[in-house]
Amino acid sequence: MTVHTQIEPVAGPEHLLKTQRGEPVTMLEAISEALFEEMVRDESVFLLGEDIGVYGGAFKVTRGFLEHFGERRVIDTPIAEGGFTGAAAGAAHMGLRPVVEIQFMDFISPAYDVITNYIATSLYRGAGPMPLVIRGPVGGGNRGGPFHSQNVEMAFFHTPGLKIVYPSNAYDAKGLLKAAIRDDNPVLFEEHKGLYRAPALREVLPDDDYTVPLGVAKTVRDGSDLTIVTYGAMVHKSLSAAETLDVEDGLSVEIVDLRTLLPMDDDAIVESVKKTGKLLIVHEDTRTGGIAGEIAIRVSEKAFEWLDGPILRVTAIDAPVPYSGSLEDYFLPQADDVITAARYLAAY
Amino acid sequence: MSDRSSYGLGRAELHELYRALTLTRAAEERLEILQKQGHVTGGLYRSLGQEAGAVGAAFALRRRDDGTGDFLAHTVRAAGALFLFGGELEDFFRQYMAKGSGPTRGREANLHWFDFQKGFVGPVSPLGTMIEIMAGITLTFRMRGEERIGMVFYGDGASSTGAWHEGLNFAAVQRCPLILMVENNQWAFSTPTHKNTRVATFADKGPGYGIGADSVDGTDVLEVFDTVRRAAALVRAGEGTRLVELRYFRRLGHAQHDPQEYVDPALIEEWEKRDPIAGYRDRMLRNEWATEEELSAIEEEVFERCRIAAESVVEEPNPDGPSAVYDVYTDLDIARPWTRAEPAVP
Ligand SMILES: Cc1ncc(C[n+]2csc(CCOP(=O)(O)OP(=O)(O)O)c2C)c(N)n1
Ligand SMILES: [Mg+2]
């Protein structure tokens, strides 16, 4: 499925050419490389966001971009998420391909109006495609408290016309972001800040111009007893739970990483459920109205006969994200929760 | 006004201002020590060089602890105002250390806390929102015919948000008794003010909303006090909303993790010479409003208070994890994770 084409080596800041040199990159570096390579490839790609230029972004994703591409294509904006996301939409009408950074995705809320009412409806209203990407850090575990930790997918999931991507590793992040920038639909791109610099996720990426198609999930662990459908940081907690279940219980767990939440890869989910007969959904987002409900109904519609147990979910609790470590650890779903749920389901 | 003018303040009041200024700085310096020792959760925000803005402004309001006084919405850089409104030093440390004994019981960060009796409402992180909230709080004062007024702090960067505009416009139209205090420290994280606005001074924004506005040297505690006192009198007398710009400089990074390499060190040096606390101290001595002994005694007292408060709070317990489920609703407890119950049943 992945498309590979060779790219010409480009000149640029040292730290953005690690893949060209065959060096491993973190997920954050992979995202930076994707942005850099797309900007080199396509003049119409440009960046907007708070502190992305001189400072290189709150998480340094765009470090060196201002120096390389100049102020015309790397715009430090006023603190006005609604304003600059709307401006990005206008530029997209004119044939540019804006990539908007939201400093913390918790602060996307002022842009909710323009995203849901204007951007996502543009094509349907006859105003043409909307090739823009809105990306930024999400997720908890960093002791960031209620406003620097949220996952925002479900605030936007109910928005026809929008695509939502949420990678779990460097390879996917790079390929998905490139695909998102080339996509003619508006894409919300969530980057878990706990994965940005995770040492375990450093890997050497192909040095060609690969993309990862939107809307295609990936089976990251093969198994036969039980399916876990998950995405983002929870892929890693699920993988660690699966190891324990293998060693301690002899359970064979299959894990499907959604990668794109909207559109959802029903086929990949259904195929795995038909194989294992048991489904556990794991998401870091809060429980009520979380994506688990949508997955469960799709499986009920398409694979009911194959189910050998209830569809279960492991999620955060239905509260704002608390600040203190002890509260946040309780709030977030942990590998132990996945293990407990999997055992319950396996014994069902 | 001349260096000699104390704006009608007596000796005790002048000393109280000095105590509030030094308390702000000492409390924040103590936090840095706590952070180095690994006790602080999350980011640490300093108000170095901005202390006089918060202290002078809050000093001009009616501060009570019985729910009848004026009302403050502070920011993370206005600890001095919070302390003057009765925010406890211990709670300040508890919040930064995310202690279960703190006013938000570890659920919220740093200066984000509340006491409606004392008359303060802490900020949320999304910038600009508190203007809207304070519009409603002061609207209520007006509706009830109370003599109370409100004061909301926010940064130069926050002035760019839609919430700022909508909140201010609402307040202006409704003649809400509210003073907007813009902390123009010339930076919004790494973004200089000229990239957030084209006006030369934030006071220029007032006329666009039909309200009166002042701009004041935010390093001069007495000048701030006097400007805000006059603004408060107008607001209280029924003029409605006003704006006051505090002009100063953010001498440290946005937060402790920001080495602010984007700021010209010469500028920082220049502003160090205009330190609000050192300046006020000299002025007090020069005008014989205080003796060296009196000022040293205040400094000593404040330092000790901070040391003792911090040491006692360090020992206090972290919140109990399962208490995360309380207070999401007034009348319901949300579900605990079924995977942690015995036996586990979905
Ligand atoms: C709506 C929103 N967008 C982005 C942020 C992230 N952010 C936190 S503080 C800050 C800069 C604030 O600058 P300013 O208002 O001048 O206050 P200062 O830090 O200088 O006191 C930014 C961009 C936020 N808190 N809220
Ligand atoms: Mg500022």
Side-chain angles (χ1 to χ4, degrees):
Chain A
M1 282 304 266
T2 299
V3 185
H4 290 270
T5 44
Q6 214 54 45
I7 44 167
E8 293 296 313
V10 292
E14 287 288 293
H15 70 280
L16 295 169
L17 304 174
K18 285 192 175 173
T19 295
Q20 279 192 29
R21 294 196 299 270
E23 295 168 16
V25 294
T26 61
M27 189 175 96
L28 184 139
E29 290 166 334
I31 291 167
S32 301
E33 287 189 358
L35 289 170
F36 181 74
E37 289 170 24
E38 287 305 286
M39 288 181 75
V40 168
R41 188 187 58 79
D42 181 352
E43 261 287 315
S44 63
V45 178
F46 78 107
L47 310 181
L48 291 149
E50 293 154 15
D51 305 293
I52 64 167
V54 173
Y55 195 69
F59 287 86
K60 301 288 183 188
V61 171
T62 53
R63 179 163 66 95
F65 279 56
L66 177 68
E67 293 77 1
H68 191 80
F69 295 108
E71 280 195 353
R72 199 176 64 85
R73 294 178 71 195
V74 183
I75 301 178
D76 272 324
T77 64
I79 303 174
E81 288 79 4
F84 61 75
T85 305
H93 276 324
M94 294 295 102
L96 298 186
R97 304 187 88 85
V99 181
V100 170
E101 174 171 302
I102 304 290
Q103 195 162 85
F104 285 83
M105 275 291 201
D106 312 59
F107 305 131
I108 198 171
S109 34
Y112 184 81
D113 175 44
V114 77
I115 294 170
T116 58
N117 283 324
Y118 193 94
I119 290 170
T121 62
S122 173
L123 184 68
Y124 201 68
R125 290 182 292 106
M130 214 9 106
L132 67 84
V133 175
I134 302 163
R135 50 157 291 274
V138 294
N142 283 1
R143 315 317 185 204
F147 310 114
H148 293 81
S149 309
Q150 295 172 60
N151 289 288
V152 301
E153 55 270 25
M154 297 315 284
F156 292 94
F157 191 75
H158 202 59
T159 308
L162 204 59
K163 295 185 179 181
I164 304 178
V165 177
Y166 198 147
S168 70
N169 60 74
Y171 177 89
D172 287 348
K174 184 169 183 182
L176 287 164
L177 184 52
K178 287 188 159 201
I181 292 170
R182 296 175 196 187
D183 201 289
D184 282 335
N185 301 283
V187 180
L188 187 71
F189 196 92
E190 297 184 69
E191 303 161 5
H192 197 288
K193 57 184 91 74
L195 304 183
Y196 265 159
R197 296 188 170 87
L201 295 190
R202 279 162 59 93
E203 61 175 313
V204 176
L205 301 181
D207 66 355
D208 62 2
D209 183 29
Y210 76 94
T211 58
V212 174
L214 306 191
V216 182
K218 184 178 174 191
T219 302
V220 293
R221 191 180 200 281
D222 286 315
S224 51
D225 294 331
L226 173 88
T227 297
I228 292 178
V229 171
T230 186
Y231 58 96
M234 288 301 120
V235 169
H236 305 287
K237 283 191 184 171
S238 300
L239 280 167
S240 109
E243 286 308 312
T244 305
L245 290 161
D246 181 14
V247 174
E248 293 184 8
D249 305 60
L251 273 178
S252 165
V253 176
E254 179 146 304
I255 299 179
V256 177
D257 176 356
L258 287 174
R259 305 198 291 189
T260 301
L261 309 184
L262 195 65
M264 197 183 286
D265 188 350
D266 293 2
D267 292 347
I269 299 168
V270 165
E271 192 190 321
S272 179
V273 169
K274 285 184 177 172
K275 184 164 104 184
T276 65
K278 303 264 175 82
L279 175 59
L280 173 66
I281 301 152
V282 181
H283 60 69
E284 186 187 295
D285 196 6
T286 54
R287 192 168 188 80
T288 299
I291 205 168
E294 181 63 30
I295 296 170
I297 196 74
R298 290 183 190 215
V299 170
S300 173
E301 287 163 355
K302 295 182 178 176
F304 183 72
E305 269 96 282
W306 280 269
L307 284 172
D308 295 323
I311 301 172
L312 297 179
R313 59 182 163 172
V314 164
T315 71
I317 61 173
D318 277 331
V321 189
Y323 179 52
S324 114
S326 52
L327 295 175
E328 193 184 24
D329 287 346
Y330 188 86
F331 165 89
L332 289 171
Q334 304 294 352
D336 276 348
D337 297 306
V338 178
I339 292 168
T340 305
R343 283 182 179 147
Y344 179 94
L345 201 49
Y348 194 88
Chain B
M1 279 267 201
S2 83
D3 181 69
R4 285 210 60 79
S5 173
S6 63
Y7 298 89
L9 293 178
R11 214 176 161 85
E13 287 165 312
L14 293 167
H15 288 204
E16 199 187 336
L17 280 175
Y18 189 67
R19 186 174 284 106
L21 290 170
T22 47
L23 177 64
T24 311
R25 188 164 297 177
E28 290 180 0
E29 283 173 357
R30 181 57 56 178
L31 267 184
E32 288 194 359
I33 296 172
L34 290 167
Q35 189 184 49
K36 289 198 185 92
Q37 296 169 339
H39 295 304
V40 169
T41 299
L44 193 166
Y45 301 83
R46 292 289 314 266
S47 68
L48 184 72
Q50 303 182 209
E51 296 93 340
V55 166
F59 202 69
L61 297 192
R62 293 182 186 164
R63 289 163 283 128
R64 313 249 194 284
D65 56 12
D66 60 358
T68 66
D70 292 338
F71 218 91
L72 167 76
H74 53 279
T75 60
V76 76
R77 300 208 204 281
L82 175 62
F83 291 144
L84 278 174
F85 264 76
E88 299 288 346
L89 186 59
E90 284 77 8
D91 283 342
F92 174 83
F93 291 128
R94 288 178 182 122
Q95 282 289 107
Y96 262 111
M97 290 191 256
K99 293 293 187 182
S101 45
T104 67
R105 296 197 250 166
R107 293 169 190 161
E108 243 286 51
N110 55 58
L111 277 76
H112 297 200
W113 94 86
F114 321 88
D115 190 324
F116 293 171
Q117 283 300 106
K118 289 175 173 167
F120 61 86
V121 53
V124 286
S125 298
L127 297 166
T129 302
M130 296 314 293
I131 323 280
E132 302 174 335
I133 304 306
M134 286 302 286
I137 285 175
T138 52
L139 176 75
T140 311
F141 297 162
R142 217 207 58 207
M143 288 165 74
R144 290 182 177 156
E146 294 175 346
E147 270 231 322
R148 308 165 72 187
I149 69 171
M151 168 178 284
V152 56
F153 283 85
Y154 59 92
D156 44 286
S159 307
S160 300
T161 61
W164 177 87
H165 162 81
E166 294 184 27
L168 167 52
N169 192 53
F170 176 91
V173 166
Q174 287 292 330
R175 289 187 162 64
C176 296
L178 176 62
I179 305 177
L180 278 79
M181 299 292 313
V182 50
E183 305 174 292
N184 181 7
N185 60 8
Q186 306 190 35
W187 296 96
F189 201 162
S190 74
T191 305
T193 304
H194 69 85
K195 284 200 173 167
N196 259 302
T197 182
R198 279 186 64 177
V199 296
T201 147
F202 283 89
D204 286 352
K205 294 206 173 197
Y209 294 83
I211 64 166
D214 305 289
S215 180
V216 62
D217 175 358
T219 66
D220 182 338
V221 70
L222 291 178
E223 198 64 38
V224 172
F225 163 72
D226 187 56
T227 305
V228 174
R229 176 171 58 177
R230 283 184 285 115
L234 294 170
V235 165
R236 207 183 299 278
E239 181 181 304
T241 310
R242 287 187 70 90
L243 185 152
V244 177
E245 175 188 46
L246 298 166
R247 300 187 313 269
Y248 39 36
F249 196 86
R250 196 193 71 203
R251 281 162 45 195
L252 291 169
H254 174 65
Q256 218 57 359
H257 53 72
D258 170 21
Q260 61 171 357
E261 283 152 1
Y262 49 84
V263 179
D264 178 359
L267 268 178
I268 300 174
E269 238 172 77
E270 195 182 310
W271 282 90
E272 273 168 8
K273 294 188 197 123
R274 295 179 54 186
D275 184 76
I277 301 183
Y280 182 55
R281 192 182 202 284
D282 288 348
R283 187 167 170 187
M284 290 183 86
L285 292 173
R286 211 164 41 236
N287 292 312
E288 297 178 2
W289 297 335
T291 63
E292 177 63 45
E293 293 68 44
E294 285 172 323
L295 297 184
S296 305
I298 291 175
E299 288 153 14
E300 179 80 359
E301 166 210 317
V302 159
F303 181 88
E304 277 302 294
R305 262 182 74 194
C306 290
R307 189 183 61 77
I308 291 166
E311 274 172 16
S312 75
V313 170
V314 164
E315 302 302 324
E316 293 176 2
N318 293 322
D320 187 26
S323 74
V325 302
Y326 299 133
D327 299 319
V328 179
Y329 296 94
T330 58
D331 55 351
L332 308 169
D333 285 336
I334 56 156
R336 294 179 184 280
W338 66 271
T339 42
R340 296 176 207 169
E342 208 46 70
V345 182

